[in-house]
Amino acid sequence: MSDGTTAVGRASRQPLVAGIAAALALLTLVTVAVLWLTSDRSEGTTDTGTPKDTSTEAGFARDMSVHHQQAVEMSFIVRDRTTDDEVRRLAFDIASTQATQAGMLQGWLDMWGLDKTSEDPPMTWMKNASSDGTDGMEGMDHGSMKGMGGGAAYKPHDGSLMPGMATNTQLDELRKAKGKAAEVLYLKLMTAHHKGGVDMAKGAVELVKDSTEKHLAQTMVQGQQSEIQLMADMLKARGASA
């Protein structure tokens, strides 16, 4: 197939990929909205049954939305840097899943009447929880507390705002890589990204009082842990490791 034909094929797939991701996000958001409106919201909320601006629920929703957005960005980058079906399929799955979840989190912020951004630094919700035993820290196991402690102490640098996020330099390297080199770099960056995301989601499972958001966080933990193992196998098949 000629380069021109390949370029046209890729261009024609871009609206399809975006359309599928948008449709999934809309369908899931509607479903979650119904669940949210019918669930018990008696704990960790304002008098009107809505999480407050400084709540763990709001902080996690904001931070994980940003975290997910980078995973989507990296997945779209690698899609155009390799023709490997396995890597492109994984990238599509990750982009679709995390775009949908980010849409759900931002949708909740809308329903709660809260801004999608905050002037507080990233991971503030973990720092607040670490200094307030009534927010759930006393009941956490050692492993969860260790992961959360790392998140709360994370120092943003070169565009990496939260644990696991790639730096601007690493993203530039991914944009320049091609073929196997791009595949390996993507799998390494996404493995680190997932590990950071898992720690954040575990913190939310322990601290969030909203049952629907807690369930989504648990889903993130399970799904990303499974993908971490898959990526380890894919790296091994390419003579590399995370």
Side-chain angles (χ1 to χ4, degrees), residues 3-62:
D3 292 342
T5 303
T6 302
V8 171
R10 288 181 178 174
S12 65
R13 285 194 295 268
Q14 290 178 354
L16 176 61
V17 171
I20 292 173
L24 286 171
L26 178 60
L27 177 61
T28 308
L29 181 56
V30 171
T31 303
V32 171
V34 173
L35 292 173
W36 186 87
L37 290 171
T38 58
S39 63
D40 180 9
R41 325 197 60 76
S42 59
E43 296 183 354
T45 61
T46 65
D47 291 339
T48 60
T50 303
K52 294 181 287 188
D53 188 66
T54 56
S55 66
T56 301
E57 285 80 4
F60 175 70
R62 291 178 180 127

Side-chain angles (χ1 to χ4, degrees), residues 4 57 61 80 114 135 140 146 153-154 181 219 232:
E57 285 80 4
D80 295 329
L114 303 177
D135 206 7
M140 294 177 64
K146 181 178 180 181
Y154 190 77
T219 299

